[in-house]
Amino acid sequence: MKCRMLLLLALTLAVFTAAPASAIVADSLTIEIQENGDAEVEVSYTLSWLEKLGVLLKVGDPAIYIQKACNDYGQGKATLLSSDMSGASLRIERVASIDNRTYTTPAIDFTQAETILQSYPIIAQILTIDLSPTVTNIIFPDGNTTTYHDQILIPATTRTI
């Protein structure tokens, strides 16, 4: 049993050191603002086989990191509702500030998250990280949608209903 574990560990290390560079890519981000200012958030991402292996081995789960980052986005708590290998669904309290009938969402800056991930030597050696979503949709309570494409910084967005 011990020999089998050591062999599995050696094989895993060999795969990680011999593997070509891999990538974490943010595909889409949808933020649906509720009438009370809370938000339902859907994030979809693409993981290579290397990241999927990391999730399966409990080395890291992107959904947990997304939840932690979302705790800084709103003024309340972020709750992870569901996640799988291709995305996560969350609820964040008090995201939009409301003044009369004007909703304002805070800016979202993904550069800090990329910097944090790249500061881990192992991650920086084997992964290319692109956390700027291909498409970001902010949907307001009246159904109006503001869309951004390939932006690492999503500006604060305002909508009067």
Side-chain angles (χ1 to χ4, degrees):
M1 183 71 167
K2 202 175 205 180
C3 183
R4 194 178 277 176
M5 251 333 223
L6 287 174
L7 182 61
L8 180 61
L9 179 61
L11 242 139
T12 303
L13 287 174
V15 165
F16 278 108
T17 57
S22 189
I24 296 174
V25 177
D27 297 321
S28 67
L29 171 63
T30 301
I31 302 167
E32 188 172 346
I33 304 298
Q34 308 299 304
E35 284 189 26
N36 66 355
D38 291 356
E40 297 288 329
V41 178
E42 295 287 329
V43 181
S44 69
Y45 42 80
T46 301
L47 301 177
S48 73
W49 67 270
L50 190 58
E51 290 93 31
K52 289 178 183 176
L53 180 63
V55 172
L56 290 173
L57 295 174
K58 307 285 187 216
V59 173
D61 184 351
I64 300 301
Y65 296 112
I66 291 168
Q67 179 185 10
K68 287 179 184 177
C70 287
N71 277 323
D72 296 334
Y73 181 56
Q75 297 173 12
K77 180 177 126 181
T79 304
L80 182 62
L81 303 174
S82 66
S83 68
D84 59 25
M85 294 284 189
S86 63
S89 175
L90 303 103
R91 179 167 184 79
I92 309 172
E93 298 171 352
R94 299 186 310 274
V95 168
S97 60
I98 306 168
D99 183 19
N100 290 326
R101 305 224 11 106
T102 300
Y103 289 76
T104 303
T105 62
I108 308 169
D109 188 354
F110 295 105
T111 55
Q112 184 180 13
E114 280 189 10
T115 302
I116 289 169
L117 285 173
Q118 291 169 346
S119 70
Y120 293 99
I122 293 174
I123 292 175
Q125 287 177 348
I126 61 173
L127 298 180
T128 302
I129 301 165
D130 179 7
L131 297 183
S132 55
T134 302
V135 63
T136 299
N137 289 308
I138 300 174
I139 304 169
F140 290 92
D142 66 348
N144 183 282
T145 301
T146 301
T147 302
Y148 300 96
H149 296 277
D150 295 309
Q151 288 191 233
I152 192 86
L153 173 64
I154 309 297
T157 305
T158 300
R159 169 81 179 148
T160 300
I161 298 176

